[in-house]
Amino acid sequence: MASGVKVDEVVKLKYDDIKKKKSYRYLVFYIKDEKMITVEKVGTRDCNYNDFLNDLTGSGPDDCRYGVYDFEYTHQCQGTSEASKKEKLFLMSWCPDSARIKKKMLYSSSFDALKKCLVGVQKYIQATDESEASAESVEEQLRKTDRV
């Protein structure tokens, strides 16, 4: 079910800057006037995951957001002695349980439009509380996509 919400061109440009140029660590988006998905915050490369969570959830317990994060971790393949650094882009939909139903419906029905624009995202995560959005939970989900 599409909501009719469009994706701002700036979203695609900033996403390409993360994906191709590694210019930023993360982006946070919101739906402006129930019509357009727009960039709200941009995190520089030296920002960490806590900065991302603060910006993602900073609009309060009643508000939803989307976020893209370039997540780095180390992975060791079976049979090797050294660990390699991995980077994976994930897209998170943040809709806390305390948000209003209409807002949650708008964000969940607009998620597909955003997914289609952000080509190359390795994982989609839907979080409704801080435990689902925690770095540990995200890393666990990203590791599931690794080869053993």
Side-chain angles (χ1 to χ4, degrees), residues 71-137:
F71 199 88
E72 292 179 356
Y73 61 97
T74 53
H75 174 71
Q76 187 167 344
C77 290
Q78 269 184 324
T80 62
S81 58
E82 56 196 61
S84 60
K85 190 174 102 172
K86 290 265 199 178
E87 288 184 11
K88 288 194 178 176
L89 284 169
F90 71 84
L91 174 62
M92 181 178 285
S93 169
W94 169 256
C95 284
D97 290 330
S98 52
R100 296 184 46 217
I101 294 286
K102 183 180 178 191
K103 184 154 273 194
K104 288 198 271 192
M105 286 175 65
L106 178 68
Y107 272 77
S108 63
S109 61
S110 305
F111 198 39
D112 277 341
L114 189 57
K115 283 182 190 177
K116 283 185 184 123
C117 290
L118 307 183
V119 178
V121 168
Q122 282 108 332
K123 186 77 184 158
Y124 303 110
I125 298 171
Q126 293 189 324
T128 58
D129 62 37
E130 274 151 30
S131 68
E132 292 174 336
S134 72
E136 296 78 25
S137 172

Side-chain angles (χ1 to χ4, degrees), residues 16-109:
D16 281 343
D17 286 344
I18 283 186
K19 187 177 157 197
K20 295 178 182 149
K21 300 177 190 162
K22 302 286 183 199
S23 307
Y24 311 112
R25 174 66 61 203
Y26 65 84
L27 301 170
V28 174
F29 315 112
Y30 74 109
I31 299 177
K32 184 178 179 183
D33 303 326
E34 297 185 9
K35 291 186 181 85
M36 181 80 68
I37 297 174
T38 318
V39 175
E40 182 180 41
K41 298 208 165 102
V42 176
T44 58
R45 283 309 282 182
D46 56 349
C47 288
N48 63 28
Y49 193 73
N50 283 336
D51 298 326
F52 170 68
L53 280 183
N54 288 338
D55 284 347
L56 191 71
T57 61
S59 53
D62 306 335
D63 225 344
C64 303
R65 289 291 184 270
Y66 302 118
V68 165
Y69 191 88
D70 190 4
F71 199 88
E72 292 179 356
Y73 61 97
T74 53
H75 174 71
Q76 187 167 344
C77 290
Q78 269 184 324
T80 62
S81 58
E82 56 196 61
S84 60
K85 190 174 102 172
K86 290 265 199 178
E87 288 184 11
K88 288 194 178 176
L89 284 169
F90 71 84
L91 174 62
M92 181 178 285
S93 169
W94 169 256
C95 284
D97 290 330
S98 52
R100 296 184 46 217
I101 294 286
K102 183 180 178 191
K103 184 154 273 194
K104 288 198 271 192
M105 286 175 65
L106 178 68
Y107 272 77
S108 63
S109 61

